[in-house]
Amino acid sequence: MKKITSLYLLIFCSLYFSISSCKKDPVNNDPEYYVKFKMNGSWITWKDGLAELGPDLIDNTKTNFSFVSNSPDDSQLFSISFQVDGPDISQGSYSSDEYFMPIDYSTGSGSNMKWYSMQINQMPYSFYTVTLSDITDITVKGHFTGDFLVNTSDKTDKVSITEGSFFLKRIR
């Protein structure tokens, strides 16, 4: 299940980058959309991002939620995803203790890219909670709390992403 969800998130991120790289304008032209998060003690706000909430494309007995957002210069990306059993995800809180929840942050590109993910294979483990507070046919709003992400190439390199919120357009 973890590999399928990770593959699904990779497909979603690839689709997002394909859409956003084909045009110079932001994917979301509505200025009210945002992703805000506190990284290493400083608040960051990005206006370019998308969310999806719907049946898993491989297994329709599961439902996925994902969002991905990038910095204005496209040098950084932040994403959260989780999957539940059943045909729906409703308003409420979802924690990484209960659901497989890939959370990723990347910076740079090519050989200079650094990819940070949740630390789930050794202590101390990363922990995150995502709360979906408003779901419509065209938007998703919520917030999240957590602790840290680890560089996948250098386990001593960590970023602290402790809280944030989002209001994004849904692509499905």
Side-chain angles (χ1 to χ4, degrees), residues 13-68:
C13 290
S14 297
L15 175 65
Y16 175 78
F17 279 124
S18 297
I19 293 169
S20 65
S21 66
C22 291
K23 51 186 172 179
K24 298 201 187 285
D25 295 331
V27 173
N28 291 324
N29 292 323
D30 190 330
E32 76 177 310
Y33 295 131
Y34 64 86
V35 171
K36 298 177 185 179
F37 57 97
K38 187 184 255 185
M39 184 168 72
N40 298 329
S42 298
W43 281 100
I44 295 171
T45 302
W46 294 340
K47 295 294 193 170
D48 203 7
L50 291 171
E52 68 91 24
L53 192 155
D56 184 81
L57 299 176
I58 297 171
D59 181 352
N60 65 3
T61 67
K62 299 182 183 302
T63 305
N64 299 323
F65 167 77
S66 296
F67 82 69
V68 61

Side-chain angles (χ1 to χ4, degrees), residues 116-133:
Y116 298 83
S117 293
M118 290 184 63
Q119 182 162 294
I120 58 173
N121 296 327
Q122 68 184 35
M123 289 185 65
Y125 303 113
S126 299
F127 176 80
Y128 280 84
T129 298
V130 176
T131 301
L132 303 179
S133 57

Side-chain angles (χ1 to χ4, degrees), residues 78-148:
F78 180 61
S79 64
I80 294 178
S81 178
F82 64 86
Q83 183 179 71
V84 302
D85 291 326
D88 194 25
I89 292 177
S90 59
Q91 293 176 338
S93 294
Y94 301 85
S95 80
S96 59
D97 280 351
E98 298 175 43
Y99 302 95
F100 179 61
M101 188 176 285
I103 298 177
D104 296 296
Y105 167 77
S106 67
T107 183
S109 63
S111 63
N112 295 323
M113 178 177 262
K114 291 183 180 181
W115 194 276
Y116 298 83
S117 293
M118 290 184 63
Q119 182 162 294
I120 58 173
N121 296 327
Q122 68 184 35
M123 289 185 65
Y125 303 113
S126 299
F127 176 80
Y128 280 84
T129 298
V130 176
T131 301
L132 303 179
S133 57
D134 189 27
I135 301 169
T136 72
D137 289 342
I138 56 173
T139 63
V140 178
K141 186 175 188 175
H143 61 274
F144 58 90
T145 58
D147 46 25
F148 65 94

